[in-house]
Amino acid sequence: MKKSVILIIGIIYIVSVVIVGFIGLQMRVYNPTVYVSDIVCTVANFTPVDIDQSIKDKYGWDYYYLLPISGNSITIEVRCRVIPEDATNALVDFYMDASDSNDLTLTYDNNIASITFKNDGAYKITAKSSDGTNVEKVMMFVTYSE
């Protein structure tokens, strides 16, 4: 082989190593999945009641609310946000016990639940992430007539 051909092959090899090393063929994850790590819920116009941590642990409650019913019913709005805020699937589903279906109605959309309590009693509502991570918050509502 001629000296010029070997020189051209060598230059092309060196240039390609530099181009690949600095510019191309870097592994990147273009759409990383970010999972929900926590859920924070708030109830408009109500603050949770402070109860002993041992009671929360025993029953698995994260929030405990006392709600006065004036008239026939009370409707509250529960807003939940997920942490981290850039989670891939940041939706929250709400669940209630089937036995409570006569005493309350639960509708939700976009991480906001509207709950109408019709009678006095204790009701457990669960907010759970819909991304499969099983992150959930349990809210206990105790309603009473004024």
Side-chain angles (χ1 to χ4, degrees):
M1 282 191 173
K2 289 188 169 188
K3 194 178 195 182
S4 61
V5 172
I6 294 174
L7 187 60
I8 290 174
I9 291 173
I11 291 173
I12 291 173
Y13 175 75
I14 291 172
V15 169
S16 66
V17 167
V18 170
I19 289 174
V20 169
F22 288 113
I23 298 173
L25 293 183
Q26 295 178 1
M27 290 187 63
R28 292 188 184 127
V29 178
Y30 290 100
N31 292 321
T33 302
V34 179
Y35 293 104
V36 174
S37 62
D38 197 11
I39 299 173
V40 177
C41 297
T42 57
V43 177
N45 301 321
F46 292 98
T47 56
V49 177
D50 288 330
I51 57 174
D52 190 58
Q53 187 63 40
S54 63
I55 294 174
K56 287 183 177 183
D57 293 340
K58 180 178 179 181
Y59 295 106
W61 301 335
D62 296 299
Y63 301 100
Y64 183 81
Y65 292 93
L66 291 173
L67 307 174
I69 294 180
S70 55
N72 294 334
S73 64
I74 183 172
T75 301
I76 62 167
E77 182 179 272
V78 179
R79 293 180 176 268
C80 291
R81 65 180 177 85
V82 298
I83 297 174
E85 293 183 7
D86 64 341
T88 304
N89 185 355
L91 293 177
V92 174
D93 295 323
F94 293 86
Y95 301 96
M96 66 180 188
D97 291 336
S99 62
D100 295 335
S101 62
N102 291 331
D103 296 328
L104 63 94
T105 54
L106 168 67
T107 57
Y108 64 92
D109 189 32
N110 292 328
N111 299 354
I112 300 172
S114 177
I115 307 169
T116 301
F117 298 94
K118 301 171 187 170
N119 296 316
D120 295 350
Y123 306 102
K124 183 172 90 171
I125 306 293
T126 303
K128 186 174 182 180
S129 65
S130 60
D131 67 352
T133 57
N134 293 325
V135 174
E136 66 182 22
K137 292 295 178 181
V138 178
M139 295 166 278
M140 190 65 181
F141 295 96
V142 176
T143 58
Y144 62 93
S145 297
E146 285 188 306

